[in-house]
Every structure is written in structure tokens, then in C-alpha cells.
Amino acid sequence: MELPININAAQVTTAYGHRAVPKLNEELQSEDLQTRQKALMALCGLMHDPEYIYKAMNIGCMENLKALLKDRNSLVRIKTTEVLYITASHSVGRFAFLEHNIVLALSFLLNDPSPVCRRNLYKAYMQLVQVPRGAEEIISKGLISPLVWKLQGEVEEEFQELILDTLVLCLREDATEALNSNVVPILKQKLISTDENIRSKAARALLNVSISHVGKKQVCQFDVIPILVHLLKDPVEHVRCNAAGALMFAMVITEGKYAALEAEAISPLLELLHSPMSVARLYATKALTMLAEAPEGRKVLQAHVPTFRAMEVEPHEKPHMSEALQRAARIAVSVIEFKP
């Protein structure tokens, strides 16, 4: 006659067995608010298992979740976005995102008044771009520009980090839309953040931006190089590493070389050759090679040829990294010793 006490909606799989996901899918469509909320709570637990995600895909559950993103109740939207970011953490879930056009549906919540809802959205996008197809989907839906503006607008540092994580991988695929959306001056602001992760990720994003010629020109145009050179002395190793990587690409063009020379980049780059991070040493070697292409840089670096000679025979625990470093050192020596 009376309902049992202490019902835990997350234990629905125990109650319904293989009928759990179909039952919850039915409840997602209920007009009763509490029923929808309980179903979403249960799905948050189930979607950690890829098998349940696969079942959900095959019975129309993803379409129902997409519809709930428009629910008037903020708690429903919050739980729905939570279910989706958990789903996106699995490869089968990322496929479901692409198959059911979840990316675009989520984008309408970029300005949701609930910060928890926006956090879940950013987490979902960050998980999705771990595969190139996910990054391509965000680019193709025209979402780079809104994400760039949200990077500037979000106050929470956690949100900025999540957006940067997403942008870094998208920019690696194609930086065109970002460059047309004022991304370089916005990233420049993030380089001076008090948060080390934001500084590091902003530098990494600029590395990917600077791969294209337009990106290199904008990095010089917005006077970013002096800040990157300053970050070569940052107390955090991975910040220094990413700053060197961004400089490595920006200094390919003449304007970038002379901006770095004027900012006195040679000395901190030479110090970075002794970094415990192999990637940082590689970036520094290539960046110094770029500077050696300018007569002024070559003149200064001639005294440091023995350092590069030592790197040519330096062993490394990872053979592919050892080969890359040795090859970069050989090229550096050949450029420094070049006589016109």
C-alpha cells in the first residue's frame, strides 16, 4: 500500500536489468518533472559503461537527451549535460555525438545562466575533440568563434582551461575561423594569467595558431613575441616549453625573428637546451636555428656551437626523440656555421 523508503534512482539497473536503459528512455519523455530528473540521475551512473551507451544509441535515447537540452527546468538541463559529457568520454559516445548532431544542440547552452550547465558543456566539447573527427565537427558547425568569445567572457578559470583544451586541438586542425575571430589578442591576454595552466594552454594554442602564415603575421602584429620571450623564464616548466614552441613557429618569418632578437630571446632559449623536458629542448633548438638565420643571431650563436655538437651525440631513453634532437642539433650547427 505504501512506497518503499530510500529509493535510489541510480540503482535502476539492479531493478530493471537489461530493461534499464529502455525504461529510462521512456521516463525521459515523461511530463512529470521528477520522473525526468530521476531518469537522468540514473543515466549519469549507467553512461560510464560503453555498453549502455551503445544500447542508448539504438533505442533513440540520444534524441531524447537532445530534446531535454531545451527543457525549461535548469536542473533537467544540468543533468542532461552531465549525462552527455560522461557519454563523450568514451569512443562510442563520441560517435553518438557525431551521429545525432549533439554538438550543435549543445551550443545553444553556451549562454545558459547556469554555470554548472556551461561547465558540463565545456567538458563534453573537451572530451569530443580528443579525436580529430570531433574537432572537425566543432569547426564545421561554426563554433570556434563563439568559443573564442566565451574564452574572453568566462570569469571562472576552470571554464577558461576547458575552453582552451578544446581550442588547442581544434586549432591544430584548422585555425582559419579563430584567426578571423580575434583569437590572437585574446590568447595574448591569457599569457599573463596568474594561473599556470591557463598560461601554458594559451601558449600551446598560439603554437598551433602560428603554424599558418596568417597566424605568424598576427602574432607579430599584436606584439605577442615579447610576452612569449618573457614566458621562457616562467617558473613552470611546461609554460616555458609551450612558449618556446610558439616562438619556434612565429620566428619562421623575418618579422618574427627580429622581434625575438629585440626581446633578447637567445639567452633564455639557450638555458632551455638543458631542460628536463625533451620536447622543450627540441623546441628551443629549432627556435635558435630560426634566429641563426638572421646575421645578428648567427653571430651570437657561434660561441655556442659546442653545445649543439654535444647534443648531436646525446643519448635518450626514447629513440625517436633522440633522433629528432640529434637531427635538430645538426641542422642548428649547419645554419650557425653557414658562411654566405
Side-chain angles (χ1 to χ4, degrees), residues 96-109:
F97 262 62
L98 300 171
E99 188 78 6
H100 295 276
N101 202 21
I102 302 293
V103 169
L104 192 60
L106 269 173
S107 70
F108 293 104
L109 298 181

Side-chain angles (χ1 to χ4, degrees), residues 222-234:
F222 290 105
D223 207 23
V224 179
I225 286 180
I227 300 176
L228 290 170
V229 171
H230 176 73
L231 289 180
L232 293 174
K233 304 168 189 174
D234 195 277

Side-chain angles (χ1 to χ4, degrees), residues 15 31 72 124 160 192 205 255 264 274 317 338 340:
E31 293 185 5
R72 292 182 180 181
Q160 293 178 35
I192 56 176
E255 190 179 350
E264 300 180 347
H274 306 288
E317 58 185 21
F338 172 75

Side-chain angles (χ1 to χ4, degrees), residues 191-231:
L191 289 176
I192 56 176
S193 170
T194 55
D195 185 284
E196 64 183 62
N197 290 324
I198 290 176
R199 294 198 304 276
S200 178
K201 290 171 183 180
R204 185 71 194 181
L206 281 164
L207 186 159
N208 289 340
V209 161
S210 301
I211 292 172
S212 73
H213 182 72
V214 175
K216 293 177 178 69
K217 295 289 286 184
Q218 286 197 20
V219 166
C220 296
Q221 175 191 341
F222 290 105
D223 207 23
V224 179
I225 286 180
I227 300 176
L228 290 170
V229 171
H230 176 73
L231 289 180

